[in-house]
C-alpha cells in the first residue's frame, strides 16, 4: 500500500455519513497509528444539502453520480439507504476499490449474494458496518466466552427495542417499504442481533442451523410527508425468532419499532454452563457477569487501560459513547485496507446474516421451522 493518504468517498451524508465522518476525524488524535486518510468526495442527489454536508463533514468536494466516484477513490463507504447498497458496492469492488457498506448488506439475500460474489472476485477489502462488534464491553464478553469462562454455551437472548414508529401519523419512509428496505425491524435491528450472536458465540456453538420466525405489521399505511396521500407499509414493525445453533444452543431474538418507552434499547445475554453475561447499549461501558458459584451478577465497568480500545481514550471510569464504536470500527477497517488483511465483519459474514433474516421471513410465511 502506498504511503499516500487513502482517498475516501462516501455515498450518503446524513445519519451514518455523520457517524463515519466523525469517526474519521477522531482517528488522527486518538488512533495515531491508523492509516492517514483524506476525506475526498461526498456523493448524494440534493446539491444544496450536499454542498452544506461537504463542508460540515470535512470533505474536499461532492458529486451527484456514484458511478463516477467508485473508481476514483481508494476506499468507498456505502452509507446510503438499503436499496442503494448492492449496485454501487458491486461496482466499487469490480473497480478494485475497498468498500465498507452499512448494514444490512442488501434488502434481499439475492442482492447480498451479488455483493459477496463481487467481493470473492476482488482483491479489495469488503466489510459491512455492524458497529456493535466494536463496543469494548462486547469484546470483553467475547474474550470471556472464547476463553471458556462461561463453559458450554446453551442460550443467547437478543433484543433491539425502539419506539419511533408507534405513532400511526409518523410519516412513511423507505424503511417501511419491502422493495426499498427488504424488511423492517428484522433487517434494520435484527441484523445487529444476528451478527452479534454470531460474533459472540459462533466459534463455540457453530452456525445457526434452523429458525422459527414471526413478523408483525401493526400500522398498515402511513402519511406521506408534505402531501395528503398515504403509502402502504409492506415490512414488519416487529419480529421475534427462535434459533437453533449447530451445537444445540438456543437463540431467542426480537426487535420492535413499537416498544413504547424504549429509544435504542439493544441488549444481548449469553448463558453458559459456568456463567453468563448481559450487555445493554444503554449502559454500554458496563458488562453484567455471573460466574459459577457467585450469587447474581457482578457489574464490570469496562474502562480499564487493558480493556479493548480503552487505552486510546481516557483514564478508568471516563466512559465512552455510541459514536466511539464507529471510531474503533473505522480503525480496524482502514488498518485492514492498509495491511491487506481480512476485516470482520466481512461481506461474507454479512451474507450469512442475510440468510438468517431470509429464513426467519420464510418461517413466518410457512408457519414452520426453516433450515438455514
Ligand atoms: C434505526 O433507526 C437505526 O438507525 C439503525 O439503522 C442503526 O443500525 C442502529 O444502530 C440505530 O437505529
Amino acid at each position: 500500500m502506498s504511503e499516500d493518504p487513502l482517498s475516501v468517498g462516501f455515498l450518503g451524508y446524513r445519519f451514518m455519513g455523520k457517524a463515519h465522518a466523525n469517526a474519521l476525524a477522531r482517528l488522527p488524535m486518538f488512533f495515531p497509528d491508523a492509516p492517514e486518510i483524506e476525506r475526498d468526495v461526498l456523493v448524494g442527489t440534493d446539491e444544496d444539502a450536499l454542498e452544506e454536508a461537504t463542508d460540515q463533514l470535512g470533505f474536499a468536494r461532492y458529486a451527484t453520480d456514484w458511478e463516477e466516484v467508485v473508481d476514483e477513490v481508494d476506499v468507498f463507504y456505502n452509507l446510503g439507504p438499503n436499496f442503494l447498497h448492492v449496485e454501487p458496492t458491486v461496482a466499487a469492488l469490480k473497480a478494485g476499490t475497498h468498500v465498507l457498506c452499512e448494514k444490512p448488506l442488501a434488502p434481499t439475500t439475492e442482492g447480498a449474494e451479488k455483493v459477496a460474489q463481487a467481493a470473492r472476485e476482488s482483491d479489495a477489502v469488503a466489510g459491512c458496518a455492524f458497529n456493535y462488534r466494536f463496543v469494548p464491553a462486547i469484546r470483553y464478553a467475547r474474550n470471556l466466552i472464547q476463553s471458556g469462562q462461561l463453559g458450554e454455551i446453551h442460550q443467547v437472548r437478543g433484543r433491539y427495542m425502539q419506539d419511533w414508529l408507534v405513532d400511526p401519523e409518523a410519516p412513511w419512509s423507505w424503511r417501511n417499504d419491502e422493495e426499498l428496505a427488504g424488511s423492517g425491524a428484522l433487517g434494520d435491528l435484527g441484523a445487529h442481533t444476528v451478527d452479534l450472536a454470531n460474533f459472540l458465540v459462533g466459534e463455540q456453538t457453530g452456525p445457526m442451523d434452523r429458525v422459527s420466525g414471526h413478523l408483525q405489521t401493526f400500522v398498515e399505511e402511513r402519511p406521506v410527508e408534505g402531501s395528503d396521500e398515504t403509502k402502504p407499509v409492506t415490512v414488519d414493525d416487529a419480529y421475534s425468532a427462535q434459533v437453533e445453533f449447530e451445537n444445540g444452543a438456543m437463540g431467542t431474538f426480537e426487535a420492535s419499532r413499537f416498544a413504547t418507552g424504549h429509544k435504542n434499547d439493544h441488549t444481548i445475554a449469553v448463558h453458559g454452563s459456568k456463567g453468563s453475561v448481559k450487555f445493554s447499549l444503554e449502559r454500554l461501558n458496563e458488562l453484567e457477569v455471573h460466574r459459577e458459584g457467585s450469587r447474581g451478577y457482578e457489574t464490570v465497568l469496562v474502562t480499564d487501560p487493558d480493556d479493548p480500545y480503552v487505552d486510546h481514550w481516557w483514564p478508568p471510569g471516563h466512559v465512552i459513547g455510541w459514536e466511539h464504536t464507529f471510531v474503533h470500527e473505522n480503525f480496524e477497517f482502514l488498518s485492514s485496507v492498509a495491511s491487506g488483511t481480512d476485516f470482520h465483519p466481512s461481506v461474507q459474514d454479512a451474507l450469512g446474516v442475510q440468510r438468517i433474516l431470509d429464513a426467519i421471513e420464510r418461517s413466518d410465511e410457512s408457519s414452520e421451522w426453516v433450515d438455514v
Side-chain angles (χ1 to χ4, degrees):
M1 178 62 65
S2 74
E3 290 313 307
D4 294 337
L6 291 168
S7 62
V8 167
F10 276 14
L11 168 60
Y13 52 88
R14 299 188 195 285
F15 181 14
M16 285 297 116
K18 188 175 283 189
H20 285 283
N22 174 61
L24 296 181
R26 301 277 74 73
L27 283 177
M29 184 183 292
F30 292 95
F31 289 77
D33 51 344
E36 189 183 355
I37 62 103
E38 60 183 9
R39 279 167 269 164
D40 178 12
V41 56
L42 214 49
V43 181
T45 52
D46 176 337
E47 291 211 42
D48 291 338
L50 256 181
E51 189 169 8
E52 184 183 346
T54 299
D55 180 51
Q56 188 186 33
L57 301 187
F59 280 74
R61 64 191 173 101
Y62 66 84
T64 55
D65 182 353
W66 56 263
E67 290 187 89
E68 294 170 7
V69 166
V70 289
D71 60 358
E72 286 178 351
V73 296
D74 298 313
V75 189
F76 179 71
Y77 283 64
N78 193 334
L79 311 176
N82 297 2
F83 58 89
L84 273 183
H85 284 186
V86 175
E87 205 182 349
T89 300
V90 167
L93 290 169
K94 285 184 172 175
T97 302
H98 305 286
V99 175
L100 184 65
C101 181
E102 262 299 330
K103 41 58 61 182
L105 185 60
T108 64
T109 300
E110 182 191 5
E113 295 273 17
K114 285 178 183 169
V115 177
Q117 182 61 24
R120 283 190 290 270
E121 294 168 356
S122 171
D123 294 330
V125 175
C128 191
F130 285 104
N131 62 301
Y132 297 116
R133 286 189 181 212
F134 301 93
V135 178
I138 289 290
R139 299 253 152 164
Y140 185 93
R142 187 171 191 252
N143 293 339
L144 288 179
I145 292 165
Q146 292 205 322
S147 65
Q149 295 183 59
L150 298 196
E152 183 181 358
I153 302 304
H154 294 133
Q155 290 182 267
V156 185
R157 182 172 300 107
R159 297 170 59 210
Y160 206 142
M161 297 290 153
Q162 296 180 343
D163 66 0
W164 59 285
L165 278 183
V166 72
D167 178 356
E169 293 307 310
W172 184 94
S173 78
W174 65 264
R175 290 179 187 270
N176 301 122
D177 182 273
E178 183 176 17
E179 285 300 306
L180 300 176
S183 60
L186 174 67
D188 189 30
L189 304 175
H192 279 300
T193 300
V194 171
D195 177 69
L196 217 40
N198 285 332
F199 178 62
L200 286 169
V201 305
E203 290 192 19
Q204 281 66 36
T205 61
M208 299 176 195
D209 270 352
R210 66 187 192 118
V211 303
S212 160
H214 175 212
L215 279 66
Q216 184 62 282
T217 304
F218 300 117
V219 170
E220 302 283 347
E221 64 176 5
R222 290 186 175 275
V224 176
E225 211 155 25
S227 86
D228 297 334
E229 290 175 34
T230 63
K231 279 190 175 181
V233 173
T234 54
V235 296
D236 56 293
D237 290 320
Y239 92 98
S240 66
Q242 299 180 95
V243 170
E244 182 175 43
F245 291 84
E246 186 180 69
N247 79 333
M250 289 175 70
T252 308
F253 304 155
E254 58 174 328
S256 175
R257 293 164 160 173
F258 276 63
T260 43
H262 298 263
K263 293 306 173 188
N264 195 34
D265 183 8
H266 184 199
T267 61
I268 195 161
V270 177
H271 304 298
S273 58
K274 292 164 64 179
S276 295
V277 289
K278 291 192 294 186
F279 169 80
S280 167
L281 182 61
E282 293 180 346
R283 304 179 71 88
L284 75 88
N285 292 276
E286 299 172 7
L287 187 71
E288 300 290 325
V289 181
H290 168 74
R291 296 176 188 279
E292 194 174 30
S294 64
R295 297 177 66 173
Y297 286 79
E298 169 197 6
T299 301
V300 177
L301 187 60
V302 187
T303 61
D304 282 2
D306 57 353
D307 288 329
Y309 302 115
V310 173
D311 62 332
H312 288 272
W313 298 106
W314 316 113
H318 294 65
V319 296
I320 62 170
W322 177 82
E323 75 274 17
H324 296 79
T325 69
F326 288 84
V327 184
H328 306 157
E329 179 179 54
N330 275 276
F331 169 66
E332 299 293 2
F333 171 65
L334 293 169
S335 298
S336 291
V337 167
S339 60
T341 53
D342 284 348
F343 169 77
H344 291 282
S346 66
V347 157
Q348 306 307 334
D349 295 327
L351 171 59
V353 171
Q354 208 75 38
R355 286 185 174 136
I356 299 298
L357 304 181
D358 182 61
I360 290 170
E361 287 199 88
R362 286 186 285 121
S363 172
D364 174 63
E365 287 155 11
S366 66
S367 299
E368 295 181 354
W369 279 80
V370 166
D371 292 334
V372 176

